[in-house]
Amino acid sequence: MQQREEQFTLYKLLNVEPKATQNEIKKSYRQLALQLHPDKNQADVNAKEKFQKISEAYQILSNEEKRKMYDETGMIEGMDEFKNAYEFYRNLYPKISKEDIDKYEVKYRFSKEEENDLIEFYNKNSGNVKCLLENIILSKNEDIPRFLEFYDEMIKQKKITDYKIYQTSRNKIKTLREDPEAQQIDMDQLTKQIRQRPKNTFDQLLQQMEQKYQKPKKVKSQKK
């Protein structure tokens, strides 16, 4: 058994905070499982082993008694193997910096992609825009008039349905907290949200980052 290292924990492996709820742990695990499933990484002979370690970490943190013991003792067998799995995941999906997010924000805001997201949200919720800001990434309270103006124009052009609930909910849009603590971006969470999106302007940024951070793959020499 090995003492847990200060800079690495099972929580870090599953990309959640130590105070994460069971639902948050489950959600993050499912996202990782989709990304790291061996079927999607067939070129890597170690993919299956790393995927298994992530599953084992989830089994520990999703079990109330095992999680409590881990939190209290900081002890777990095979910690090096869990750390290797984390490094494998980070190699496939490098962390996104604040600078990277800022670059994406410049490309995304006021773009056609943002407009498509606004329309998709509107149609999915049958015109109820009460939770608009919570569902459009990188949105701000100051965007409300701009978003409503866009919807009004789309309704005028008959590109979206003029739902009755739109007229009532447009005056009840929940604003975002603006205190410093709330404004601090949760980089991991925002990155996961962006990765779940369909192909968009962020794809090119991700490709650039992968080329920047990933170690070059060794080319196997052909036997003569």
Side-chain angles (χ1 to χ4, degrees):
M1 309 234 339
Q2 293 178 302
Q3 180 67 31
R4 180 175 58 186
E5 296 183 21
E6 183 178 353
Q7 295 184 349
F8 175 76
T9 66
L10 297 185
Y11 294 102
K12 191 171 184 180
L13 174 57
L14 293 186
N15 212 14
V16 296
E17 295 295 326
K19 295 182 180 179
T21 64
Q22 287 299 320
N23 284 336
E24 290 171 337
I25 291 175
K26 180 185 293 186
K27 181 178 180 180
S28 186
Y29 167 69
R30 287 179 175 176
Q31 292 170 348
L32 285 173
L34 288 174
Q35 293 174 340
L36 302 180
H37 196 280
D39 289 346
K40 292 188 177 182
N41 300 281
Q42 296 181 10
D44 195 308
V45 295
N46 297 315
K48 183 177 181 180
E49 178 185 349
K50 301 300 186 296
F51 178 76
Q52 289 174 340
K53 299 312 294 184
I54 291 175
S55 297
E56 289 178 24
Y58 173 68
Q59 293 302 321
I60 292 172
L61 298 185
S62 63
N63 182 288
E64 186 175 341
E65 294 184 2
K66 292 181 179 179
R67 181 181 181 181
K68 182 179 180 181
M69 181 176 295
Y70 172 70
D71 289 341
E72 291 178 349
T73 66
M75 302 287 285
I76 192 69
E77 292 184 5
M79 180 57 79
D80 286 342
E81 296 177 6
F82 285 106
K83 187 174 182 180
N84 289 338
Y86 173 76
E87 292 174 350
F88 172 76
Y89 161 67
R90 274 299 170 215
N91 187 52
L92 286 178
Y93 300 97
K95 288 183 72 68
I96 308 300
S97 69
K98 177 65 164 62
E99 182 182 356
D100 294 321
I101 296 296
D102 289 342
K103 288 180 181 179
Y104 175 61
E105 182 176 4
V106 172
K107 292 182 178 181
Y108 176 78
R109 287 173 57 78
F110 299 90
S111 69
K112 187 66 177 179
E113 183 181 350
E114 183 187 54
E115 291 182 354
N116 290 338
D117 288 342
L118 287 166
I119 292 174
E120 181 180 357
F121 171 81
Y122 183 91
N123 291 333
K124 183 178 180 180
N125 293 275
S126 302
N128 189 338
V129 295
K130 187 176 181 179
C131 299
L132 177 61
L133 297 185
E134 298 174 10
N135 288 273
I136 302 299
I137 62 173
L138 298 169
S139 61
K140 304 175 182 179
N141 291 334
E142 63 193 53
D143 290 322
I144 294 178
R146 178 169 69 90
F147 289 166
L148 292 178
E149 183 179 350
F150 171 75
Y151 282 141
D152 291 342
E153 181 62 27
M154 291 295 98
I155 291 174
K156 183 179 180 180
Q157 296 181 21
K158 297 184 178 181
K159 292 185 177 181
I160 57 176
T161 303
D162 185 8
Y163 292 102
K164 184 177 181 180
I165 195 172
Y166 167 66
Q167 301 301 333
T168 56
S169 65
R170 60 179 291 151
N171 297 319
K172 301 177 182 179
I173 297 176
K174 294 181 180 179
T175 56
L176 304 173
R177 290 172 53 195
E178 295 185 339
D179 56 277
E181 180 180 353
Q183 287 184 339
Q184 183 175 359
I185 296 179
D186 183 336
M187 301 302 295
D188 287 336
Q189 184 61 32
L190 183 54
T191 299
K192 286 189 291 186
Q193 290 177 348
I194 294 175
R195 289 190 190 282
Q196 292 172 9
R197 298 164 54 75
K199 288 189 175 181
N200 50 48
T201 55
F202 198 69
D203 287 349
Q204 295 179 345
L205 177 58
L206 286 180
Q207 292 174 359
Q208 293 173 0
M209 289 193 59
E210 287 168 357
Q211 295 174 358
K212 177 180 177 182
Y213 292 112
Q214 283 186 342
K215 297 179 181 179
K217 294 183 179 179
K218 294 182 179 180
V219 178
K220 294 182 180 180
S221 59
Q222 294 182 346
K223 293 183 180 180
K224 296 182 180 180

